[in-house]
């Protein structure tokens, strides 16, 4: 008989048949009431004591004021209460919402020193109107910290229920049964701020002094200097890629010379307008006033389509100024400089006549004169400044003055600088534009603002926008590479002018920014499409020419091996010959700041890769997919993240931003709450690596821990431990996997049946198709209940992509239903196999032990044998033996609670191992081991 803890014994004794609305969950050890609710004193005005809690108990009721979209019910905490809350592990209460359903519901706890005295934030699920919910907030594991722009509250504190709603609506909120469980003796109160908040406090040391700007080298100094010119000329003549790039440059420049300089009479409009409203397809330009939908043939003309086309015209002129200037430097042919001057002066003549306009056509800060946003104004101005610098010696003093007063200064100071942003990819483009104008005219104030402004300068962007692991904080690779592009023009120009951002105080962080996409990539160079990101790669990105030249680290050459190097950056700064590829493969790594664990196995064509996502939610671009993973092996992606659709189309929220679309856990068919998970253990050995993570508070009353083991280069095993900690209502536990390919076989449990249990109105479920259900009764402790499913490559019938093997590793008789069907890949018609393993449990622990095997022809089969089903609960230990064929076997143990565990390897007691590690991996030859057993030691106090 399995040993039970007192707590579990108590749970099991509870009458589960009672309805959730009348049942109070079993008290945690040491739990005490927090507030008695016999008076509304201390609560927001309008709050009343009512007897409407389940069973007629007291509750606080409060009707939200109709005015406003964010309103708050608050209870002040005196100092003793504040201390009690700050020192608690758990805050439990019940709540109910009536009337119009709010859009968001949060709890904020202000109880110094918790979260440094700022607002510790928790999100609540919104129950259907009239239904009581109980929630368990892990006080020390707040999801975010707010209010850091104001002084932290040192004395007193408050509990706040923050309701986000539509103006004019008045939902009624009730709160009851507030209880807290104190922290264990000696446990510390969490004072940590979020990464963003910590970063916001980082101060940067100024790099720019008036003296630096006094000592600027002669022009040219933005794209190249006179000292660099001989080397650039040599690359242009002696390397294949240099010759090819310059030939293209000359062709483009000669085409420009053949046409008159005819600037548009107005500025351009937003590129995002240039799509067919019906099909969403990007339009094709047939003439400046004729724009055609390639899908349906619709023809568009007039505003905004004609104006979007003008943006393209303006950008062509600006690129031409840079190209002409550079070609003049390379060839000395004055005709190129003369044409660059002509375009520059034409813009000086026109610029102030272009009205300031934003994407709505309004004359507002944030808009531009040439483009509709300061972003477009900046990307247009940067090549203009680079070209002007290159032809400086061909400009008269009067020309320079005209360009300064009528073009560059109005753009940099009146348009771009007036629009103030903080840490953001767009601000990086603006810094480059302002900084280049400053370096062009030797203006210390502009250069200093672009580089050293403490709120938004380039150094602040590097210090606060780049995470400790290297990825850009906005959480999607698209923004990462866009920001790399935005920073480069200023970093390069400043470097030539003696201001070194590469080797400066933020230099190491800047380098990690370039290294991260290499270190985190799959073996084929692609990055997982986590959050609002499509697939992305550093491969072929020419900006790595700059990184390699400035830091000299051969690791930075990896993305260039996929490039033909016929690029501007290679010509200006590239090394002649790329350093040899490192023989040392990337290691398995835990990126703790962004929360990605990357496990690697094998090398070359058989390299395997597993990226597990457990960290911060990722703000507005985050997906609710804690402990989701992407798996790669045998030269292909085996299980993927579907990525993202265009923002605003229904399938973005309906599928891509659902938990179901990911390889993780869904409870009660709802999306996970935004949460930050935790790394619990990370182990690497010869031929294997393993990681154990906790998902954090993704659902009320649920603990989810995933141990993942990458074994060799052709198998991965997962031990997914799910514990239900609030009793009284049955929970639906869905584990989902999306293997690539098409279904070949689904078996072990007889023929499938048409499911009748999948909902149409829950996030993501309506996108499932061709679903069949298979039921396993449960209760077995052997291998008899294995469920196996295999996918194959649709193009090559012999090529199996993946075989998934599930083993029923569980406490007691819990049946499992498997749903095999298809979900959505890159679009609704791209069908990707989906396997969903479902259990329903009321309390206690369940473990899904499962494996994926893959291979070129036949995937490596993995047989899982549960070693100690009875040991699982309540100790929370899962142990399996995984037989991979070829005599390779592993004992795998996940033990998140550090229970004492004994591993018996055969009859010889000398082979017995006693330990309490959170992860244990032991490879052995099963032919020599007669018996194998794992048992937990007694853990009664
Ligand atoms: Zn169309
Ligand atoms: Zn996603």
């Amino acid at each position: 008989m399995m040993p039970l803890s007192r707590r579990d014994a108590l749970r099991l004794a509870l009458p589960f048949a009672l309805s959730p609305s009348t049942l109070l969950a079993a008290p945690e050890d040491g739990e005490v009431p927090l507030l008695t609710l016999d008076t509304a004193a201390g609560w927001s005005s309008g709050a009343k004591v009512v007897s409407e809690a389940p069973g007629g108990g007291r509750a606080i009721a409060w009707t939200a004021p109709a005015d406003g979209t964010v309103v708050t019910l608050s209870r002040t905490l005196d100092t003793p209460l504040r201390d009690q809350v700050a020192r608690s592990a758990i805050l439990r209460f019940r709540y109910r919402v009536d009337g119009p359903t709010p859009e968001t519901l949060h709890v904020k706890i202000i109880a110094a020193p918790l979260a440094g005295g700022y607002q510790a934030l928790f999100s609540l699920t919104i129950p259907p109107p009239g239904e009581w919910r109980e929630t368990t907030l892990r006080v020390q594991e707040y999801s975010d910290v707010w209010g850091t722009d104001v002084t932290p509250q040192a004395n007193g504190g408050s509990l706040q229920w923050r309701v986000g709603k539509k103006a004019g609506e008045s939902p009624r909120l009730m709160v009851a049964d507030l209880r807290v469980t104190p922290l264990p003796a000696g446990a510390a109160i969490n004072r940590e701020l979020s990464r963003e908040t910590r970063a916001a406090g980082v101060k940067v040391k100024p790099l720019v002094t008036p003296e630096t700007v006094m000592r600027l080298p002669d022009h040219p100094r933005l794209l190249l200097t006179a000292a660099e010119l001989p080397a650039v000329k040599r690359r242009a003549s002696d390397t294949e890629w240099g010759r090819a790039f310059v030939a293209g440059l000359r062709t483009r420049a000669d085409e420009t010379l053949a046409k008159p300089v005819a600037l548009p009479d107005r500025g351009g409009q937003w590129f995002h307008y240039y799509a067919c409203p019906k099909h969403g397809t990007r339009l094709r330009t047939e003439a400046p006033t004729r724009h055609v939908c390639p899908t349906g043939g619709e023809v568009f003309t007039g505003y905004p389509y004609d104006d979007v086309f003008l943006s393209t015209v303006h950008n062509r002129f600006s690129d031409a100024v840079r190209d002409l200037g550079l070609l003049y430097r390379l060839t000395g042919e004055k005709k190129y400089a003369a044409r660059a001057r002509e375009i520059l002066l034409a813009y000086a003549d026109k610029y102030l006549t272009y009205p300031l306009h934003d994407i709505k056509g309004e004359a507002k800060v944030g808009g531009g004169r040439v483009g509709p946003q300061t972003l477009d104004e900046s990307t247009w101005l940067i090549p203009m400044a680079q070209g002007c610098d290159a032809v400086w010696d061909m400009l008269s003093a009067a020309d320079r003055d005209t360009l300064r007063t009528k073009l560059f200064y109005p753009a940099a100071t009146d348009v771009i600088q007036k629009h103030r942003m903080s840490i953001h990819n767009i601000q990086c483009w603006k810094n480059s534009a302002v900084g280049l104008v400053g370096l062009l005219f030797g203006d210390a104030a502009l250069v200093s603002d672009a580089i050293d402004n403490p709120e938004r300068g380039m150094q602040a962007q590097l210090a606060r926008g780049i995470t400790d692991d290297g990825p850009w904080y906005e959480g999607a690779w698209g923004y990462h590479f866009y920001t790399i592009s935005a920073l480069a023009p200023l970093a390069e120009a400043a470097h030539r002018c003696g201001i070194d951002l590469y080797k400066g105080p933020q230099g190491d962080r800047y380098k990690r920014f370039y290294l991260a996409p290499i270190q985190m990539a799959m073996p084929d160079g692609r990055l997982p499409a986590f959050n609002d990101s499509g697939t992305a790669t550093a491969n072929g990105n020419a900006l790595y020419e700059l990184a390699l030249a400035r830091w000299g680290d051969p690791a930075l050459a990896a993305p260039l091996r996929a490039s033909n190097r016929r690029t501007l950056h290679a010509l200006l700064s590239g090394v002649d010959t790329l350093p040899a590829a490192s023989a040392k493969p990337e290691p398995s790594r835990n990126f703790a700041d962004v929360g990605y664990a990357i496990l690697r196995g094998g090398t070359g064509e058989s390299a395997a890769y597993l990226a597990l996502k457990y960290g911060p939610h990722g703000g507005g671009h985050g997906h609710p997919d804690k402990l989701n993973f992407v798996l790669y092996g045998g030269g292909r992606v085996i299980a993927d993240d579907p990525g993202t659709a265009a923002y605003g189309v229904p399938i973005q929220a309906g599928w891509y931003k659902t938990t179901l679309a990911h390889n993780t856990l869904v409870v009660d068919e709802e999306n996970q709450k935004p949460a930050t998970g935790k790394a619990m253990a990370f182990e690497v050995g010869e031929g294997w690596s393993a990681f154990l993570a906790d998902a954090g508070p993704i659902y009320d009353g649920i603990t989810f821990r995933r141990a993942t083991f990458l074994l060799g280069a052709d198998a991965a095993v997962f031990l997914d431990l799910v514990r239900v900690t609030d009793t009284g209502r049955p929970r639906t536990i869905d584990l989902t996997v999306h293997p690539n390919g098409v279904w070949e076989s689904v078996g072990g449990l007889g023929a499938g049946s048409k499911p009748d249990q999948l909902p149409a109105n829950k996030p993501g479920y309506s996108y499932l198709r061709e679903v069949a259900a298979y039921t396993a009764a449960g209760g077995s402790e052997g291998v008899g209940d294995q469920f196996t499913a295999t996918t194959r490559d649709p193009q090559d019938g012999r090529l199996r992509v993946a075989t998934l093997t599930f083993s029923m590793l569980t406490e007691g008789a819990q049946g499992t239903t498997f749903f095999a069907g298809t979900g959505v890949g890159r679009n609704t018609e791209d069908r990707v196999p989906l396997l969903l393993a479902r259990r329903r449990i009321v309390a206690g622990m369940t473990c899904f032990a499962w494996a994926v095997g893959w291979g070129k022809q036949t995937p490596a089969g993995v047989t899982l044998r549960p070693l100690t089903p009875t040991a699982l609960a309540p100790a929370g230990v899962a142990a399996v033996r995984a037989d991979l064929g070829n005599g390779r076997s592993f004992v795998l143990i996940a033990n998140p609670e550090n229970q004492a565990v004994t591993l018996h390897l055969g009859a010889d007691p000398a082979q017995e191992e006693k330990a309490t590690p959170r992860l244990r991996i032991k490879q052995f030859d099963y032919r020599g081991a007669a018996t194998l057993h794992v048992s937990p030691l007694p853990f009664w106090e």
Side-chain angles (χ1 to χ4, degrees), residues 237 285 294-295 305 309 315 332 360 474 478 503 541 560 605 631 649 667 711 803 854 871 876 888 890 904 932 939:
S237 62
T285 308
T295 307
Y305 307 101
F309 173 73
N315 287 338
K360 293 177 185 161
E474 286 177 83
K503 303 275 164 65
N541 187 324
L560 301 174
E605 286 194 353
L631 177 63
V649 299
V667 175
L711 305 176
T803 293
W854 58 91
R888 276 193 304 154
F890 292 85
H904 310 270
L932 187 70
F939 55 91

Side-chain angles (χ1 to χ4, degrees), residues 529-533 613 622-625 628 641-644 656-658 661-662:
F530 289 145
N531 295 337
D532 279 350
S533 185
K613 180 173 181 272
H623 287 191
D625 63 340
N628 172 34
D641 184 306
T644 185
Y656 293 99
K657 278 195 135 165
T658 66
H662 299 86

Side-chain angles (χ1 to χ4, degrees), residues 246-256 327:
V246 174
L249 191 68
R250 191 184 279 275
T251 306
R252 289 200 302 278
D254 289 340
E255 280 167 13
T256 307
L327 203 54

Side-chain angles (χ1 to χ4, degrees), residues 276-281 293-298 300:
C276 173
K278 185 172 167 199
H279 296 99
T281 321
C293 169
T295 307
E298 296 95 332
F300 301 90

